[in-house]
Amino acid sequence: MSILIIACIIIFPTPFSNLTQKFFFPIQDNKNSSSVQEPPLDQSCISRSQKAAYHKSPSPVPSPYFLSKLSDYERRHKNCEPFSEPFNKTLQVLVTGKNVPSNETDSDPCRYVVYTVNLHGLGNRMLGLSSAFLYALLTNRTVLVDFRPDMASLFCEPFQNSTWFLPDDFPFRNEFYTAQFRQAHSFGDFLMRHNNVTQLATPPSFLHLYLSFNYNNRDKLFFEDENQQFLQGVPWLTLRSDEYFIPYLYLMPRFRPELERLFPDRETVFHHLGRYLFSPSNQVWGLITRFFDAYLARADERIGLQIRVFNTTSSPIPLVMKQIWQCTEKENLLPQLQEPTTSPSAMIGYNKTASPATTKAVLIASLYSEFYEEMKFMYWTSGAVDGGEVVGVHQASHEGSQHSKNSSHNMKALVDMYLLSLCDVLVTSPWSTFGYVAQGIGGLKPWMLNIPNSKDSVEKPLEPACRRAVSSEPCFLRPPSYDMRAKVVVDTGVGLDPPAVHCEDVSWGLKLVNDQKID
């Protein structure tokens, strides 16, 4: 990049100096307050020290308490990582199935959450993993991940000098994704088999937490506060989730006070977790920076359009395109197009005698190329009404369809997510975890498109075409809505103070906010 913008200078105690590289703000050199110390370049993960320079806006500052907890966690992770003596000791508990009563365990035992990757897209996986990590942080566990080849090369190891990868020969690893494994070991079914788990002398050596989109009411008993005390005595938990279930953790009295200390600003939870956990690998970072430097770096403003079409029959591409034009024009996100003309002045693009043109770079992230082709053609042939604005339209990839088990596809998806997070303005699609990740990492409040239906003709205006999100937080798309003990349907988004309200795009979903309400 040709310009490095230093947004803020933050001073943290020495133990946090390594952690600050994982967030997007510089480290002050205490010997000279007028200069900024360049973080040491970690050749194994170049993005960790370089990514701060690629953001214009200052990042919200993590709380000192959150940094302190991360520092404690990294020490615990190093002590409990795979093949360490405590790991091998706890592994024997799993292999033999012989747990010990809670009052006989070590004073500080290693207990684990093993995140097993779901079969949905990368956005779902990143949201599920960030939720699993925060749960581990709240319960003093060590998180390990079962990344298969389609994800293994996407990210750097988040905890320096230790690994979070599950060993290949881990027991039950080949059974994680079978229906039989879920039926035999799920926490919900375990509770159904035991009327009162508090009377069990010894908890089981491991249980499976199934929190994916199709989880049942028994699985959702995980979110009942009283069940968490029992889980504390289980040394091994496997967790499978494609959901951002953090908003519901705020509704649990056991976790709420600690969460408020960790994140005084609730609207930055995923922002901080995402920037800490998901540093792109060197291969991915090279793809990101080369595209950014070539097409986006010199623009005065960068506008990201994340377009997810789940069904081209109910949401035809021409209708979605018209919706995008209406949204960006009404909200003044993109310059208005001129009427098509063949006059020489229109072909020039802007007045050469006027002040230098303002440049806008539009980044389109979509599985389809049609949106890119139309917008590029329209600005090329028509130009903007304001002759002083030059618009460039760019797209890094268009795969046509989603291939979640393909490593190359996932790599391109991560590139798009990070490029979107580097934009100044963001327009996203509803229900899209891809967009949630981009807006969260970028700390951006996007304009969210409304879902078009086939009954709306292409000529008929859609009102409103989009609405502004109240926070950059992702939506918990499928929160529990049934109280099994009371046997009634409940609305968990009613009467809160907040911390969570219903989402803009999913009326029954939950998202974290500070004091605002969604109309």
Side-chain angles (χ1 to χ4, degrees), residues 59 87 93 136 138 146 237 280 286 289 325 365 381 460 490 509 516:
S59 171
F87 173 87
V93 175
L138 292 169
D146 181 34
L237 296 175
T289 54
W325 284 120
T381 58
K460 179 183 176 182
V490 295
Q516 301 161 287

Side-chain angles (χ1 to χ4, degrees), residues 63-328:
S63 70
Y65 184 67
F66 179 51
L67 292 178
S68 174
K69 290 287 287 188
L70 291 180
S71 183
D72 291 341
Y73 175 84
E74 291 196 357
R75 284 192 291 271
R76 180 169 71 249
H77 193 100
K78 179 62 178 175
N79 181 60
C80 299
E81 71 174 332
F83 308 113
S84 66
E85 182 178 346
F87 173 87
N88 293 334
K89 180 179 179 181
T90 312
L91 187 62
Q92 284 303 308
V93 175
L94 176 63
V95 172
T96 62
K98 296 180 180 179
N99 197 7
V100 295
S102 300
N103 58 358
E104 296 181 17
T105 58
D106 297 338
S107 59
D108 187 21
C110 290
R111 293 173 298 117
Y112 298 88
V113 172
V114 178
Y115 179 74
T116 61
V117 174
N118 65 77
L119 302 180
H120 291 94
L122 182 60
N124 293 84
R125 300 175 185 186
M126 294 172 71
L127 295 177
L129 178 51
S130 62
S131 301
F133 175 75
L134 182 56
Y135 179 68
L137 202 65
L138 292 169
T139 55
N140 296 317
R141 290 180 178 270
T142 299
V143 68
L144 301 176
V145 296
D146 181 34
F147 281 176
R148 298 302 165 115
D150 60 301
M151 282 193 67
S153 61
L154 296 182
F155 305 107
C156 302
E157 290 268 11
F159 319 120
Q160 290 177 295
N161 303 316
S162 59
T163 185
W164 68 343
F165 287 118
L166 193 71
D168 291 340
D169 59 351
F170 188 82
F172 306 112
R173 184 170 182 258
N174 293 329
E175 304 173 26
F176 282 164
Y177 304 97
T178 64
Q180 293 79 3
F181 180 84
R182 178 185 173 187
Q183 293 167 359
H185 304 295
S186 79
F187 179 48
D189 288 341
F190 179 85
L191 290 176
M192 293 297 100
R193 292 193 297 268
H194 300 83
N195 291 330
N196 189 350
V197 294
T198 60
Q199 295 180 353
L200 292 176
T202 304
S205 59
F206 90 102
L207 286 169
H208 180 54
L209 306 176
Y210 189 83
L211 304 178
S212 285
F213 77 102
N214 60 344
Y215 64 160
N216 58 40
N217 289 329
R218 297 187 301 277
D219 297 320
K220 295 172 187 177
L221 291 172
F222 165 84
F223 293 108
E224 291 198 1
D225 206 67
E226 58 268 27
N227 291 331
Q228 290 299 321
Q229 180 61 42
F230 174 77
L231 287 173
Q232 283 292 97
V234 181
W236 289 96
L237 296 175
T238 55
L239 190 155
R240 186 176 182 184
S241 179
D242 57 3
E243 293 280 342
Y244 183 71
F245 59 81
I246 290 173
Y248 214 94
L249 298 180
Y250 270 83
L251 305 185
M252 301 171 68
R254 183 183 189 89
F255 298 135
R256 174 76 177 272
E258 181 75 354
L259 287 166
E260 297 287 13
R261 289 189 68 191
L262 289 168
F263 306 103
D265 182 354
R266 300 185 196 113
E267 297 180 10
T268 63
V269 175
F270 180 73
H271 179 74
H272 292 316
L273 290 174
R275 291 188 173 191
Y276 175 74
L277 291 173
F278 303 123
S279 294
S281 67
N282 286 353
Q283 184 179 6
V284 176
W285 186 241
L287 296 173
I288 293 170
T289 54
R290 286 191 292 272
F291 188 94
F292 183 90
D293 292 342
Y295 301 111
L296 306 178
R298 285 170 287 280
D300 297 304
E301 186 177 22
R302 300 188 285 269
I303 301 98
L305 303 179
Q306 183 267 325
I307 309 167
R308 182 71 163 99
V309 180
F310 291 97
N311 188 327
T312 55
T313 300
S314 60
S315 301
I317 287 178
L319 178 57
V320 178
M321 191 71 242
K322 187 174 182 67
Q323 182 188 26
I324 294 168
W325 284 120
Q326 289 174 337
C327 172
T328 55

